[in-house]
Amino acid sequence: MDILKTPPDGQALKRLAEQAGVTVKGLINLRSTAFRNAKVDASLLTEDSAADLIVSNPRIMVRSLFSNGRQTVVGF
């Protein structure tokens, strides 16, 4: 799935994060230009607000992200 064309919804993000063993906030690339341009204080993000931020701007998500439906691997 191309997350830029079809961003996952909040529930899908929570499943992906759980499968990867990280928080939804952990799916955000804090070094990305898109995240810096969003001008969001990462320390204030809750799981729900992090999910909302990714849904509205999927470019802030870490990539590569691979999932087979049971397990998710996140990394560079």
Side-chain angles (χ1 to χ4, degrees):
M1 167 172 51
D2 183 344
I3 63 167
L4 299 179
K5 291 181 181 175
T6 311
D9 63 18
Q11 290 301 320
L13 288 169
K14 289 176 184 177
R15 275 192 311 276
L16 287 171
E18 184 178 312
Q19 291 171 357
V22 298
T23 62
V24 174
K25 189 173 162 180
L27 295 176
I28 296 175
N29 180 356
L30 300 175
R31 294 182 180 183
S32 73
T33 302
F35 181 75
R36 286 187 302 227
N37 289 342
K39 297 186 181 355
V40 174
D41 184 346
S43 66
L44 299 177
L45 287 174
T46 64
E47 289 296 284
D48 289 333
S49 63
D52 291 343
L53 187 60
I54 294 170
V55 169
S56 67
N57 189 356
R59 289 188 181 278
I60 68 169
M61 228 171 126
V62 294
R63 295 182 299 257
S64 300
L65 183 91
F66 300 98
S67 179
N68 65 6
R70 293 185 316 270
Q71 186 177 23
T72 299
V73 178
V74 177
F76 289 94

